[in-house]
């Protein structure tokens, strides 16, 4: 599975593929495997130098997953039977090892052209194929174009005044250079999302000084990391079944009771969820937590009081765990922490509250805030997240029927059918992107759900000699409206989260993902097939 024996894109000028997969992450690996299994002439392109997607790019120290290991893998029998993660929440390095292990079976990396970015794709309206151009000058004709670029492929970095003047090392968590070490350095971190939390924990152990620039505290949960003994293989089929039946595609689900059930019972339930660790306190909580403000307050108060016990610098208590929640609990994707609050207790760690004193300017030597304080830094880490959902798509010039450009189609908001198809852009599929459960679940769960659907759809087309698939305008409008309605049900609207595009200034504020849970999403996708592909036009 090394890149040396991979497809290099030769002879692509005359190449006519059945399918081209864009992206060699968790969905792209599985998608290419499934299409080749069908006997299609399918290949892939990937901007990175190797497989891994998110796990290839996000090489900041401390990167690890927030799903239990058993859930964070493909449910393919031949794979899980032979693999064992060493930790409950595996590290980036071990996930990459896993993906290379997968590749020994799927053998897809040899069909990916690495170090190659798709810059343009134009649909040929009479021939019903895509003509794809890459940054390296390849052109590839393909019947189907399957976008497996995920929802976090485009990093977001705010434009601070003076950024180019900084003489130290500047790096985004998702573009960490290979030779940058934090040990002994003066390190600044802007952003306290999941990436920020992990890099802060890793930095606090080794740096000389750490300065964290915080705008919003992370309502993080204890990860409760542990080494994993050999897991009995007999539990896996059950776990994968459960994954299909729960909101987030995890092995837990909301408690079908209101949090108002009574203080004593609630305390016991909260204690249990808290002790379980991981995302249990979120996806295993009372089912009104994300819908009802009072229920939400109970969860927040429990979290706040737990966390406060660990904060020893009095001046940080209100900043890290405020008395009153600043947004409803759980309406931003929670991060998992291992020793975040202990890190803030260290003498060499400083928290700068950007609400009190925003960043005024980046200087040649560090960061200056509005109150005039200068923080001297050797390394400035941007843990500022991603242009979620749409960013990766907008970077590519995708031209559909009648010259329509995809980024224009989405300029005023995402429009799709099932998050997989778009009207005006025939024969293009999207995996793990906007309008799907993506942001609420994890990659293997969502990828399997969508990739299996897409593969079955393409198989159906082959069997029926169909050359072209396209979502109808009406189906797309209905789906988009449904995404909005379901998003509007909960407390989501009250948080400036990437779920709603709020993290990137100027971006359309909208519900970007299907907030109805994995089972309902899967059911709808199945019903579409059973109805004879309702809302979809074939030629
Ligand atoms: O990005 P984020 P992320 N000035 O958008 C701050 C997955 N993931 O890379 O909250 C100052 O969450 C911003 O502040 P605020 C996971 O799904 C998973 O951390 O907007 N600060 C925020 O604190 C996750 O949710 C794992 O006020 C600015 C931070 O930057 C998703 O990826 C690990 C700013 C961005 O946080 C994204 O996480 C890592 C500005 N101008 C990622 N602009 C695990 O599995 C933004 N910020 C554990």
């Amino acid at each position: 599975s090394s890149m040396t024996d991979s497809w290099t894109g030769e002879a692509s000028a005359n190449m006519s593929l059945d399918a081209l997969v864009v992206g060699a992450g968790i969905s792209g690996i599985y998608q290419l495997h499934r299409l080749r299994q069908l006997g299609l002439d399918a290949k892939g392109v990937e901007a990175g130098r190797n497989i891994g997607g998110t796990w290839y790019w996000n090489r900041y120290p401390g990167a690890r997953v927030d799903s239990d290991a058993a859930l964070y893998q493909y449910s393919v029998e031949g794979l899980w039977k032979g693999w064992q993660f060493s930790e409950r929440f595996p590290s980036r390095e071990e996930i990459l090892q896993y993906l290379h292990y997968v590749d020994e079976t799927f053998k897809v990396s040899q069909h990916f052209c690495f170090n190659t970015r798709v810059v343009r794709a134009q649909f040929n309206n009479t021939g019903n194929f895509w003509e794809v151009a890459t940054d390296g000058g390849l052109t590839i004709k393909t019947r189907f174009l399957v976008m497996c670029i995920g929802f976090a492929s485009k990093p977001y970095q705010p434009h601070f005044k003076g950024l180019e003047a900084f003489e130290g090392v500047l790096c985004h968590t998702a573009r960490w250079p290979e030779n940058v070490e934090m040990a002994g350095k003066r390190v600044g971190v802007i952003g306290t999302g999941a990436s920020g939390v992990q890099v802060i924990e890793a930095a606090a152990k080794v740096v000389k000084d750490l300065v964290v620039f915080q705008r919003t505290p992370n309502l993080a949960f204890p990860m409760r990391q542990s080494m994993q003994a050999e897991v009995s293989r007999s539990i896996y089929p059950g776990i994968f079944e459960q994954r299909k039946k729960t909101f987030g595609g995890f092995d837990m689900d909301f408690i079908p009771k209101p949090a108002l059930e009574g203080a004593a019972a609630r305390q016991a339930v909260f204690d249990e969820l808290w002790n379980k660790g991981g995302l249990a306190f979120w996806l295993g909580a009372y089912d009104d937590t994300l819908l009802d403000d009072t229920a939400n307050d109970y969860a927040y108060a429990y979290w706040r009081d737990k966390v406060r016990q660990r904060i020893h610098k009095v001046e940080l208590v209100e900043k890290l765990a405020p008395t009153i929640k600043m947004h409803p609990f759980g309406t931003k994707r929670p991060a998992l922490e291992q020793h975040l609050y202990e890190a803030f207790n260290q003498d060499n760690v400083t928290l700068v509250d950007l609400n009190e004193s925003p960043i005024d300017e980046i200087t040649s030597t560090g960061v200056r805030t509005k109150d005039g304080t200068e923080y001297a830094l050797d390394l400035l880490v941007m843990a500022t997240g991603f242009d979620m959902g749409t960013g990766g798509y907008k970077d590519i010039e995708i031209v559909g029927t009648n010259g329509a450009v995809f980024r224009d189609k989405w300029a005023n908001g995402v429009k799709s059918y099932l998050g997989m198809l778009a009207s005006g852009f025939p024969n293009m599929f999207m995996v793990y992107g906007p309008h799907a459960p993506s942001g609420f679940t994890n990659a293997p769960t969502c990828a399997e759900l969508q990739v299996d659907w897409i593969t079955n759809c393409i198989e159906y087309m082959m069997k029926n000699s169909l050359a072209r698939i396209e979502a109808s305008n009406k189906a797309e409008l209905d789906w988009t409206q449904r995404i909005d309605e379901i998003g509007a049900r909960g407390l989501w609207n009250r948080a400036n989260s990437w779920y709603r595009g709020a993290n990137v200034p100027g971006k359309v504020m909208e519900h970007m993902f299907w907030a109805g849970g994995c089972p309902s999403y899967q059911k709808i996708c199945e019903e579409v097939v059973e109805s004879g592909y309702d809302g979809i036009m074939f030629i």
Side-chain angles (χ1 to χ4, degrees):
S1 63
S2 75
M3 54 175 290
T4 47
D5 54 5
S6 71
W7 173 53
T8 56
E10 298 139 40
S12 63
N14 312 313
M15 180 173 276
S16 256
L17 297 174
D18 295 322
L20 183 73
V21 172
V22 183
I26 287 179
S27 20
I29 290 170
Y30 184 55
Q31 181 66 80
L32 189 52
H33 163 68
R34 289 295 323 268
L35 293 172
R36 294 189 64 84
Q37 244 185 353
L38 276 189
L40 297 194
D41 187 5
K43 293 195 184 292
V45 285
E46 161 60 52
R49 299 177 148 274
N50 215 323
I51 58 171
T54 278
W55 300 106
Y56 169 87
W57 291 106
N58 288 267
R59 57 183 101 79
Y60 62 85
R64 64 177 65 252
V65 74
D66 60 2
S67 295
D68 276 76
L71 297 160
Y72 206 75
Q73 46 189 303
Y74 300 108
S75 67
V76 177
E77 191 171 340
L79 294 177
W80 56 259
K81 282 202 164 153
W83 182 261
Q84 169 72 37
F85 279 113
S86 69
E87 291 174 305
R88 180 179 172 192
F89 296 97
S91 67
R92 164 190 184 254
E93 292 73 18
E94 202 176 13
I95 293 168
L96 285 177
Q97 281 167 23
Y98 167 70
L99 292 175
H100 284 277
Y101 156 80
V102 167
D103 192 42
E104 284 166 26
T105 301
F106 285 177
K107 301 202 183 340
V108 288
S109 67
Q110 56 195 318
H111 303 294
F112 270 104
C113 183
F114 292 102
N115 221 0
T116 299
R117 196 175 273 282
V118 169
V119 289
R120 189 180 156 87
Q122 171 139 20
F123 188 66
N124 184 310
N125 209 12
T126 44
N128 294 321
F129 62 85
W130 285 93
E131 202 161 89
V132 177
T134 72
D135 57 355
L138 301 176
T139 50
I140 304 159
K141 288 185 185 125
T142 176
R143 170 77 67 211
F144 298 107
L145 179 64
V146 191
M147 304 298 290
C148 294
I149 62 175
F151 63 88
S153 56
K154 171 134 177 132
Y156 163 67
Q157 185 168 300
H159 302 286
F160 294 108
K161 193 168 100 194
L163 203 56
E164 45 314 314
F166 185 58
E167 285 169 5
V169 176
L170 176 76
C171 60
H172 190 283
T173 45
R175 292 291 181 273
W176 199 274
E178 248 146 52
N179 52 356
V180 169
E181 293 295 329
M182 299 194 292
K185 304 244 172 74
R186 298 166 304 174
V187 176
V189 177
I190 302 180
T192 49
S195 305
V197 165
Q198 293 186 331
V199 88
I200 289 165
E201 289 185 349
K205 287 186 188 161
V206 297
V207 297
K208 178 161 178 278
D209 288 309
L210 174 64
V211 185
V212 177
F213 298 91
Q214 170 186 286
R215 193 161 66 179
T216 312
N218 199 315
L219 312 184
F221 303 139
M223 176 180 274
R224 306 212 188 284
Q225 174 71 302
S226 58
M227 296 306 284
Q228 283 208 314
E230 187 73 16
V231 176
S232 161
R233 294 287 171 260
S234 61
I235 64 164
Y236 274 68
I239 288 179
F240 294 130
E241 260 323 290
Q242 224 180 344
R243 199 162 78 165
K244 288 188 190 154
K245 290 183 187 141
T246 66
F247 177 91
F250 284 77
D251 58 349
M252 57 188 146
D253 214 345
F254 298 122
I255 304 164
K257 269 198 283 197
L260 312 167
E261 69 170 318
R266 197 165 55 237
Q267 186 71 21
V269 167
F270 281 165
D271 284 343
E272 194 192 323
L273 295 172
W274 193 255
N275 293 331
K276 267 192 194 157
L279 294 172
F281 204 79
W282 188 45
L283 294 173
Y286 289 106
D287 65 4
D288 54 353
T289 309
L290 297 169
L291 303 173
D292 179 273
D293 210 21
T294 310
N296 194 273
D297 277 337
Y298 288 136
Y300 179 72
Y302 183 93
W303 175 88
R304 177 198 61 205
D305 295 345
K306 278 285 181 197
V307 162
R308 284 184 166 199
Q309 293 166 19
R310 289 166 58 193
I311 304 170
H312 298 160
K313 294 179 187 163
V314 279
E315 71 279 13
L316 291 194
V317 170
E318 199 57 34
K319 294 189 193 312
L320 290 170
T323 308
I324 311 281
K325 63 188 184 191
M326 69 306 273
H327 57 261
F329 192 66
T331 51
K332 287 185 158 193
R333 180 151 178 145
L336 303 185
E337 56 83 27
Q338 300 189 71
H339 41 83
L340 180 68
Y341 301 99
E342 290 68 25
F344 281 115
N345 288 338
Q346 288 177 212
D347 286 338
N348 62 339
V349 178
T350 307
L351 178 77
V352 177
D353 183 348
L354 296 179
N355 302 303
E356 278 175 11
S357 195
I359 291 173
D360 183 22
E361 180 166 14
I362 313 287
T363 66
S364 60
T365 53
V367 173
R368 188 177 57 234
T369 48
K370 281 259 153 62
D371 60 4
T373 316
E374 301 226 11
Y375 299 92
L377 303 169
D378 305 307
L379 174 62
L380 178 56
V381 179
M382 294 282 175
T384 43
F386 302 86
D387 185 349
M388 286 292 198
T390 53
Y393 285 92
K394 288 182 180 169
D395 266 4
I396 307 171
E397 187 83 6
I398 306 175
V399 185
T401 53
N402 306 320
V405 179
F406 200 61
R407 79 166 73 84
D408 298 339
K409 179 188 171 80
W410 279 7
N412 297 316
V414 176
K415 294 182 194 72
S416 86
Y417 186 37
L418 307 172
M420 291 192 278
L421 291 162
S423 136
F425 296 82
N427 292 7
M428 180 177 90
F429 294 94
M430 295 174 280
V431 183
Y432 203 41
H435 277 194
S438 321
F440 300 111
T441 174
N442 67 35
T445 306
C446 191
E448 286 195 3
L449 225 157
Q450 294 188 305
V451 166
D452 287 345
W453 191 92
I454 290 166
T455 309
N456 292 340
C457 179
I458 290 177
E459 189 177 22
Y460 169 86
M461 290 179 69
M462 312 288 286
K463 280 195 180 140
N464 294 284
S465 306
L466 301 166
R468 170 167 166 152
I469 175 172
E470 185 178 354
S472 77
N473 233 321
K474 174 162 189 324
E476 189 175 88
L477 279 172
D478 289 349
W479 182 252
T480 303
Q481 198 180 338
R482 222 161 154 180
I483 295 274
D484 282 346
E485 278 165 11
I486 293 194
R489 265 189 224 160
L491 300 168
W492 308 104
N493 278 347
R494 284 174 39 204
N496 287 332
S497 65
W498 57 256
Y499 284 144
R500 299 173 58 238
N503 65 320
V504 175
K507 204 170 161 167
V508 180
M509 291 276 268
E510 61 176 332
H511 293 281
M512 190 106 57
F513 301 99
W514 171 260
C518 288
S520 65
Y521 179 78
Q522 180 162 17
K523 186 158 172 281
I524 293 164
C525 292
E526 281 167 4
E527 282 167 2
V528 168
V529 176
E530 283 155 19
S531 70
Y533 287 99
D534 199 15
I536 291 173
M537 306 173 299
F538 291 104
I539 296 178

